Amino acid sequence: MSEPTPAPDNDPLIAQLDQIAQGLAQTFAPFCEVVVHDLRDPEQAILAIHNNLSGRSPGDPATELGLARIADSDYPQIVANYANRFADGRPAKSTSIGIKDAQGKYVAALCLNVDMSLFRSMQAALQQFGATGTAPFQESLDPANAEAIRRRIDQYAAGLAASPQLLKAEDRRALMRELKAAGFLEVRRAMEIAAAHLGISRATAYNDVK
């Protein structure tokens, strides 16, 4: 009886790659197909396919990109966010990550294919919902100069690499004093506007000014 053939050294690597693929597929389901390619056998390259959106099956051959990697070890290891299309015409956005062995030869690839058709429908709906028409007058429900107060708060927070809600107490107090000195707090409802943008109560805002 012949001895069993030893498993290729890269089998554990590819097995771990499939675990990563399963995790990604579960995270981004149902919009993202995740495919593991075994480039050692281009005729049956697809080893596993999770969240199948393309209609392919394990055992299907390598794609053009996979064949390019097999032919050239200098081929880019990451090809991200390129336009693609499923067999039924749905638009897709794809990312392919090549996996090399210790000798620098491509042995596998992890590919993500995102179905963009739903997102484009959502984008179109949001654009339609957000569209505004023209009116023979100008109206604003925002108090005068409220946006200037918010903009100044945002600028101050950005200078400290923070968001307005995450400012430390001493930084927030310094900001409130600066707003008062610059006349921002003379605007009607200014304390209410500043407090809301900072995520604090009006009482806290008044105390900060003091």
Side-chain angles (χ1 to χ4, degrees), residues 26-39:
Q26 291 174 23
T27 300
F28 296 111
F31 311 111
C32 182
E33 171 185 273
V34 186
V35 187
V36 179
H37 296 266
D38 185 347
L39 299 182

Side-chain angles (χ1 to χ4, degrees), residues 22-90:
Q22 290 184 52
L24 290 171
Q26 291 174 23
T27 300
F28 296 111
F31 311 111
C32 182
E33 171 185 273
V34 186
V35 187
V36 179
H37 296 266
D38 185 347
L39 299 182
R40 299 170 302 178
D41 186 1
E43 295 299 321
Q44 303 180 71
I46 295 184
L47 180 68
I49 184 164
H50 307 283
N51 291 340
N52 195 328
L53 299 175
S54 62
R56 294 174 295 171
S57 303
D60 281 357
T63 62
E64 294 88 342
L65 197 155
L67 294 174
R69 283 201 173 107
I70 293 171
D72 182 7
S73 59
D74 291 328
Y75 195 89
Q77 194 155 5
I78 298 176
V79 182
N81 298 322
Y82 60 92
N84 208 337
R85 192 167 292 276
F86 293 116
D88 60 3
R90 284 172 297 158

Side-chain angles (χ1 to χ4, degrees), residues 14-199:
I14 295 177
Q16 289 301 307
L17 189 62
D18 188 47
Q19 292 296 307
I20 295 171
Q22 290 184 52
L24 290 171
Q26 291 174 23
T27 300
F28 296 111
F31 311 111
C32 182
E33 171 185 273
V34 186
V35 187
V36 179
H37 296 266
D38 185 347
L39 299 182
R40 299 170 302 178
D41 186 1
E43 295 299 321
Q44 303 180 71
I46 295 184
L47 180 68
I49 184 164
H50 307 283
N51 291 340
N52 195 328
L53 299 175
S54 62
R56 294 174 295 171
S57 303
D60 281 357
T63 62
E64 294 88 342
L65 197 155
L67 294 174
R69 283 201 173 107
I70 293 171
D72 182 7
S73 59
D74 291 328
Y75 195 89
Q77 194 155 5
I78 298 176
V79 182
N81 298 322
Y82 60 92
N84 208 337
R85 192 167 292 276
F86 293 116
D88 60 3
R90 284 172 297 158
K93 181 175 76 169
S94 299
T95 291
S96 178
I97 305 166
I99 307 298
K100 294 183 176 183
D101 61 13
Q103 287 71 46
K105 179 181 178 181
Y106 282 113
V107 294
L110 179 67
C111 297
L112 294 84
N113 303 306
V114 179
D115 184 352
M116 298 301 293
S117 57
L118 177 60
F119 294 101
R120 291 187 178 181
S121 297
M122 291 171 59
Q123 183 181 36
L126 288 171
Q127 286 178 342
Q128 181 178 351
F129 182 74
T132 57
T134 58
F137 55 86
Q138 293 292 325
E139 180 184 45
S140 175
L141 304 179
D142 207 16
N145 295 321
E147 187 56 35
I149 295 173
R150 298 188 189 103
R151 187 164 53 247
R152 182 66 194 98
I153 292 173
D154 288 340
Q155 290 172 349
Y156 184 92
L160 297 174
S163 65
Q165 295 79 14
L166 295 179
L167 285 173
K168 295 179 181 178
E170 59 268 26
D171 293 329
R172 192 184 65 236
R173 286 192 287 269
L175 166 63
M176 293 300 292
R177 290 192 294 269
E178 182 180 308
L179 290 174
K180 181 179 180 180
F184 283 103
L185 300 186
E186 303 302 319
V187 177
R188 184 176 65 88
R189 294 178 56 200
M191 295 298 287
E192 180 182 343
I193 295 164
H197 202 58
L198 288 164

